[in-house]
Amino acid sequence: MFSKTKHDQSVMERDIQLDNIPKHIAIIMDGNGRWAKKRGLPRVAGHREGMNTIRRTVRQANKYGVKILTLYAFSTENWKRPRPEVEFLMRLPERFLSKELPELIEQNVRVRITGEKDKLPEYTKRAVEKAVAETAHNDGLILNFALNYGSRSEMIQGIQSICRDVKDNNLSIDEIDEACFTGRLMTHDLDDPDLLIRTSGEIRLSNFMLWQLAYAEFWFTNVLWPDFKEDDFQEAILVYQNRQRRYGGV
Ligand code: FPP
């Protein structure tokens, strides 16, 4: 389940089978704070460095022909962090997109947001809505930022929407099936992730896409997000390609 250490890693890009690339890769980008602490820097320095990793990872995902890259950028629980850190994190989309949007457009990337947008500060909303609008006609990699996202709350909202339809006689209880529920989620228009990556050595989902990850392959690495490089991403894909996905079959 864990990645190999850097010492015995002999990951070669040429080993990657381009006809078996995971279509949807979801990443829990973790370890920014620890990266900064190790260097005696404030936590936010780790988030700043983490943006460079995003740029690299998007380029690489695009190169391999990944269809959807979901990045867990801010969870509904992250509001509990100290206020200056929350404010810094909320400024990141603006900082990242003001610099990167031209390249994203050039790379035919479509930016998308999953999460409760209405609760974001105006400046954050404005930055992401601009990026979403300006890339809406691109048909390459979907770069899906999970921003103010929490899976349990998403599912509760889905259940409420189903209940309302049942109450209004627009839906019968027998019609409630997996597709019906999936259709009520914020990710209703995206295929489920095939591969989940989490950096920094933590082995948990932290309220991330609990329904959508039902059949995903999981890959965890001790590497902290700011240190996550091309060879780590290659290793994750190679491990995925060496797993057999059975979806409950034999
Ligand atoms: C987890 O590290 C990381 C986050 C909560 C934020 C991740 C966000 C980015 C890398 C940038 C987002 C950019 C855009 C464009 C939306 P942590 O702070 O939990 O690290 P720790 O576990 O070491 O404390």
Side-chain angles (χ1 to χ4, degrees):
M1 191 160 53
F2 255 111
S3 65
K4 287 178 270 179
T5 64
K6 285 279 174 197
H7 309 289
D8 55 16
Q9 203 178 60
S10 59
V11 177
M12 298 297 292
E13 190 163 33
R14 62 183 157 79
D15 293 334
I16 290 180
Q17 304 153 35
L18 289 173
D19 57 354
N20 184 23
I21 295 289
K23 283 198 189 74
H24 184 173
I25 300 181
I27 307 184
I28 302 178
M29 309 178 286
D30 200 5
N32 293 347
R34 276 163 285 167
W35 183 91
K37 197 171 169 215
K38 262 178 32 186
R39 288 163 177 76
L41 298 169
R43 290 176 54 80
V44 295
H47 299 316
R48 198 179 302 120
E49 190 61 31
M51 288 199 293
N52 294 329
T53 309
I54 294 182
R55 182 188 315 113
R56 276 197 304 273
T57 308
V58 170
R59 281 187 190 151
Q60 202 178 357
N62 217 2
K63 184 170 106 182
Y64 294 152
V66 173
K67 302 284 179 229
I68 307 164
L69 179 68
T70 294
L71 301 177
Y72 202 8
F74 193 89
S75 78
T76 45
E77 288 72 37
N78 287 151
W79 296 107
K80 291 186 224 147
R81 294 186 175 208
R83 211 182 139 143
E85 183 173 344
V86 169
E87 276 174 19
F88 189 91
L89 285 168
M90 283 296 138
R91 286 279 174 196
L92 284 182
E94 198 182 28
R95 285 171 82 142
F96 178 80
L97 293 163
S98 65
K99 199 157 156 234
E100 302 299 329
L101 194 54
E103 185 179 329
L104 294 174
I105 293 172
E106 196 190 304
Q107 288 185 75
N108 195 24
V109 170
R110 181 149 71 91
V111 176
R112 187 189 182 289
I113 301 297
T114 298
E116 295 184 38
K117 256 190 296 183
D118 292 346
K119 294 184 187 144
L120 296 172
E122 264 319 304
Y123 54 82
T124 314
K125 233 188 318 184
R126 212 175 317 120
V128 296
E129 278 169 358
K130 178 174 184 280
V132 169
E134 290 188 17
T135 61
H137 300 295
N138 291 351
D139 58 5
L141 173 74
I142 296 174
L143 175 56
N144 180 33
F145 285 109
L147 203 53
N148 194 22
Y149 173 80
S151 184
R152 286 186 172 184
S153 150
E154 175 193 36
M155 288 197 278
I156 296 290
Q157 286 172 37
I159 292 166
Q160 287 172 339
S161 130
I162 289 175
C163 290
R164 269 192 296 273
D165 278 356
V166 171
K167 185 165 159 260
D168 296 345
N169 290 321
N170 292 325
L171 187 72
S172 77
I173 289 180
D174 295 335
E175 283 172 313
I176 304 170
D177 58 10
E178 290 188 13
C180 165
F181 185 61
T182 299
R184 309 283 167 143
L185 299 178
M186 292 170 181
T187 51
H188 60 89
D189 53 340
L190 300 178
D191 287 339
D192 287 342
D194 302 290
L195 170 64
L196 171 83
I197 296 173
R198 182 170 188 153
T199 57
S200 90
E202 309 293 350
I203 317 275
R204 55 175 173 266
L205 288 179
S206 303
N207 201 15
F208 182 58
M209 293 199 168
L210 304 178
W211 173 268
Q212 297 89 333
L213 289 169
Y215 288 103
E217 294 295 329
F218 289 6
W219 186 77
F220 298 98
T221 175
N222 285 325
V223 173
L224 305 175
W225 178 247
D227 289 330
F228 186 84
K229 297 274 160 41
E230 281 85 353
D231 60 344
D232 300 305
F233 199 37
Q234 284 163 16
E235 186 184 345
I237 292 175
L238 279 174
V239 168
Y240 167 88
Q241 293 187 335
N242 285 303
R243 298 227 184 123
Q244 283 181 2
R245 303 184 77 194
R246 289 192 290 269
Y247 300 95
V250 286

